[in-house]
Amino acid sequence: MPTPARTADVPPQPWTGRFDGAGHRRWWQAVTPYPAHPIPPQPPAAPSGARPAVILGFASDAGVRRNKGRPGAAAAPHAIRAALGPLAFHLAREVQDAGDVTVDGDALEAGQSRAGQAITGLLDAGALPVVLGGGHETAFASYLGLAGSAGVRDGLRVGVLNLDAHFDLRDEPVPSSGTPFLQMARAEAAAGRELQYAVVGISEPNNTAALFRTAADLGVDYLLDEDCSAEAAQAFVAAFLARVDALYLTIDLDVLPASEAPGVSAPAAYGVPLPVISTVCRQVAGSGKLLLLDVAELNPEFDVDGRTARVAARLINTLLR
């Protein structure tokens, strides 16, 4: 299996930032290149809060363009790193950067395959991959990495929890940012497994009746945005966590209200407030079951004052604590 360093198209770049002296450590000072310090082998079927985190960028907006959305998400990995850099570093784990997989033009499937190989390598090395999309086509790249990992091959039951205003279950002739979870369901069925998929934040007006029927046919659990109190979201996530051995968490930033996340491909008119999303992230982090996470759909071109990138950075910091 290729290492992420060989699979990434762009090697990790130096992190820079403000230096305030001893005792004022920030992310930019803490992140090191992968694999400068080899990760000690760990059992692939044992998600753990102690796992080293490794950042991998997926610089793609090919799926968004295919889905007729606003392009620009390919610049998101750089923007999220820039927002993470100045944050105070309080983590009790090592964080490394494996660089970026880039999608040139419309070569989405090839890019997803390369990213999947990188993610498999990280999982099998015992790392917690932190994938920075990219449009939500990032999710199928993450899935490829997950499906190829030793843990899944050995029978680990992994649930997919999506924080998103959309099901992304479109049945289209060409894969896009709107199709990844239907692609996952079909790939799981072909492997003799059933996709365990749940969504927090579904916007009823932004998902057609056909998508709700597909969700019902696949047994997808979901919580509507209008029902997302902190208590309801926690109960929903707790029930889902109880059914699985490990969790792949994918965050589409358009789950948040447009006022909190203006820089996305499809801003939300309603959305789930940041405190609720943050509560869910703390719950997932505290479960000990987090195996893989990605953040998708940041579009820096429309990100007023870098608000959305800052939100993404804050959520990643919460998940890794």
Side-chain angles (χ1 to χ4, degrees):
M1 177 60 63
T3 67
R6 291 175 185 158
T7 309
D9 302 314
V10 178
Q13 304 300 303
W15 289 52
T16 60
R18 170 176 170 171
F19 178 67
D20 289 328
H24 297 280
R25 195 178 189 212
R26 301 179 188 274
W27 267 71
W28 72 268
Q29 296 166 287
V31 177
T32 58
Y34 179 85
H37 307 292
I39 297 172
Q42 297 185 30
S48 168
R51 284 173 175 261
V54 180
I55 294 169
L56 177 71
F58 185 62
S60 169
D61 56 21
V64 174
R65 282 186 274 109
R66 290 182 183 184
N67 201 30
K68 302 177 178 61
R70 304 194 296 184
H78 174 77
I80 296 174
R81 285 186 179 94
L84 279 166
L87 297 184
F89 192 83
H90 298 291
L91 307 188
R93 72 166 86 226
E94 188 172 0
V95 179
Q96 299 179 358
D97 187 350
D100 290 348
V101 172
T102 60
V103 173
D104 294 325
D106 194 49
L108 174 57
E109 290 81 359
Q112 288 172 323
S113 178
R114 293 196 307 279
Q117 291 175 18
I119 293 163
T120 296
L122 290 171
L123 288 168
D124 288 350
L128 168 58
V130 180
V131 184
L132 310 180
H136 218 175
E137 64 269 24
T138 302
F140 193 65
S142 292
Y143 167 78
L144 291 175
L146 187 65
S149 68
V152 170
R153 295 198 307 270
D154 292 342
L156 187 70
R157 296 176 305 155
V158 181
V160 179
L161 179 62
N162 183 17
L163 309 186
D164 198 341
H166 308 95
F167 284 118
D168 288 342
L169 290 168
R170 289 179 180 271
D171 188 1
E172 302 283 357
V174 178
S176 73
S177 62
T179 66
F181 301 99
L182 184 59
Q183 291 176 265
M184 291 182 203
R186 289 173 172 169
E188 285 292 278
R193 300 185 295 259
E194 183 178 351
L195 179 67
Q196 300 295 315
Y197 176 41
V199 195
V200 171
I202 287 293
S203 168
E204 189 173 46
N206 293 107
N207 291 269
T208 63
L211 291 170
F212 276 96
R213 285 195 297 270
T214 301
D217 291 343
L218 294 173
V220 177
D221 293 326
Y222 61 89
L223 189 64
L224 296 176
D225 53 6
E226 293 182 354
D227 297 330
C228 279
S229 66
E231 295 77 12
Q234 282 183 296
F236 179 89
V237 172
F240 187 65
L241 283 168
R243 290 165 33 196
V244 299
D245 300 321
L247 190 75
Y248 157 38
L249 176 67
T250 178
I251 303 175
D252 185 327
L253 293 164
D254 73 19
V255 71
L256 293 153
S259 59
E260 296 175 344
V264 294
S265 300
Y270 191 93
V272 181
L274 179 58
V276 177
I277 296 298
S278 183
T279 294
V280 169
C281 289
R282 288 196 302 272
Q283 180 181 9
V284 167
S287 73
K289 293 186 175 184
L290 182 60
L291 188 66
L292 165 66
L293 73 97
D294 62 41
V295 178
E297 294 288 342
L298 169 64
N299 190 328
E301 185 176 345
F302 299 96
D303 196 14
V304 180
D305 294 330
R307 286 184 216 161
T308 318
R310 293 172 191 268
V311 167
R314 179 66 180 259
L315 293 176
I316 291 168
N317 186 72
T318 295
L319 284 158
L320 297 186
R321 288 194 71 185

